[in-house]
Amino acid sequence: MAVGKDCPAARWSLAQRLIHAGLLVGMIGGWWTAQISADTPHEWLGWGMMALVGLRIVLGFGRHPQAQWRGMARALWRGTATDSAGRLLWQRRSVASVMMLLLLVLGTGVTGWMLTWETFAGDDAAEQRHEWFFYALLAWVLLHVTVVLWLSVHARTWRVLDIVRGGSLDSSSKP
Amino acid sequence: MRSWLLLAPLGLLFVNAAVAGPTCTKEDDRSQWLPAAQMLERATHEVPKLKLFKVTDGNCYEIYGWDAAGKKVEIYYHPVSGEIVKRGSW
């Protein structure tokens, strides 16, 4: 099956793009509020990111083919998944990467929340665990960005613009 | 482009994590610091129920506990002056 420029990707839904943007803003904000020790905004950003991940999980059971867990599972099993029009929904590696990103966001949030528990408050190991999850997330995000930029420029699929416009529906995904 | 180069960002995992919390002093000579026992005694006026007392990576005394109203409190103290540097909750 043709993928990439010969088989344009299906469009991201508006909700997916807003969640993506929200997670990006939350991650930068979370890092910044940690640097300046703004604890309350840091916690609210964490709760906001958890809500966005929860929303994304719910979207996976919705009707939009690009957001559905069904398509992602199919890609994990078969290597790729397409919608009814033959547009590419997912490839196995991209599903694995997105799952890792979601798990790392969840891990960062949960380990941050645990710092408010009596058992873990002030515990150095618990704080380091939260930081480890964040830096693992940051590393994976940089890997994700590198791959998307590489695909955009080298493979001429221009996936980086999907962040804003949601992907191409016509025969050419190049701007 | 060699695909293994894409793994370069994972090198960030080996970068030291940023210090969470304020930096009180860069003075490493702890002979100038208030004794921990003295600091702890002062801190218990504001935090009568203590959970944890420690020295942070930012060279502060830090206390976790509950105030007189039973609210969770976290306070950073300057180790030389004993002044409160930051107060919050946990």
Side-chain angles (χ1 to χ4, degrees):
Chain A
M1 179 190 313
V3 294
K5 63 183 176 183
D6 298 325
C7 181
R11 187 178 288 272
W12 286 20
S13 69
L14 178 62
Q16 279 176 288
R17 281 176 274 163
L18 289 175
I19 290 170
H20 186 265
L23 289 174
L24 177 64
V25 169
M27 197 177 152
I28 295 169
W31 174 81
W32 176 245
T33 50
Q35 301 308 303
I36 61 172
S37 297
D39 296 343
T40 303
H42 187 79
E43 286 175 18
W44 278 108
L45 281 167
W47 285 116
M49 289 182 76
M50 291 297 94
L52 289 175
V53 171
L55 185 58
R56 178 62 187 85
I57 290 170
V58 171
L59 278 183
F61 298 102
R63 296 175 61 182
H64 195 283
Q66 221 277 332
Q68 286 176 337
W69 296 118
R70 197 169 49 189
M72 295 173 82
R74 205 162 58 232
L76 275 179
W77 183 253
R78 296 179 186 167
T80 58
T82 55
D83 66 8
S84 55
R87 292 184 300 249
L88 180 66
L89 292 172
W90 291 100
Q91 297 182 70
R92 181 180 287 137
R93 279 177 294 189
S94 55
V95 173
S97 179
V98 167
M99 296 304 290
M100 178 63 91
L101 285 168
L102 287 173
L103 285 173
L104 288 172
V105 172
L106 272 177
T108 307
V110 169
T111 52
W113 173 51
M114 286 166 66
L115 293 175
T116 66
W117 300 5
E118 187 175 341
T119 312
F120 296 111
D123 181 66
D124 290 338
E127 289 174 358
Q128 284 166 6
R129 198 156 46 230
H130 180 53
E131 288 172 358
W132 187 92
F133 263 101
F134 175 77
Y135 281 100
L137 171 64
L138 181 59
W140 208 267
V141 165
L142 290 176
L143 178 66
H144 169 70
V145 169
T146 305
V147 170
V148 171
L149 285 175
W150 183 81
L151 283 173
S152 289
V153 177
H154 183 78
R156 294 178 177 276
T157 51
W158 302 99
R159 298 306 305 269
V160 70
L161 295 176
D162 296 356
I163 296 167
V164 178
R165 65 181 191 179
S168 176
L169 285 175
D170 57 28
S171 59
S172 171
S173 56
K174 190 175 175 182
Chain B
M1 183 178 183
R2 293 174 188 272
S3 57
W4 57 266
L5 282 177
L6 295 176
L7 296 177
L10 297 180
L12 261 181
L13 289 177
F14 299 101
V15 173
N16 284 337
V19 176
T23 298
C24 289
T25 176
K26 292 181 178 168
E27 179 60 67
D28 287 330
D29 180 11
R30 296 198 177 187
S31 66
Q32 303 299 312
W33 288 23
L34 292 168
Q38 186 182 337
M39 190 70 251
L40 183 57
E41 189 186 344
R42 283 173 60 174
T44 50
H45 293 297
E46 304 195 59
V47 189
K49 188 179 173 190
L50 175 71
K51 178 192 180 310
L52 184 77
F53 179 79
K54 67 178 184 181
V55 176
T56 68
D57 291 338
N59 281 337
C60 305
Y61 283 129
E62 183 184 18
I63 191 166
Y64 286 81
W66 293 263
D67 65 13
K71 283 179 61 178
K72 293 175 180 176
V73 285
E74 174 188 7
I75 304 177
Y76 291 82
Y77 295 94
H78 194 285
V80 177
S81 67
E83 291 175 354
I84 293 176
V85 175
K86 186 187 168 196
R87 185 188 182 110
S89 182
W90 49 273

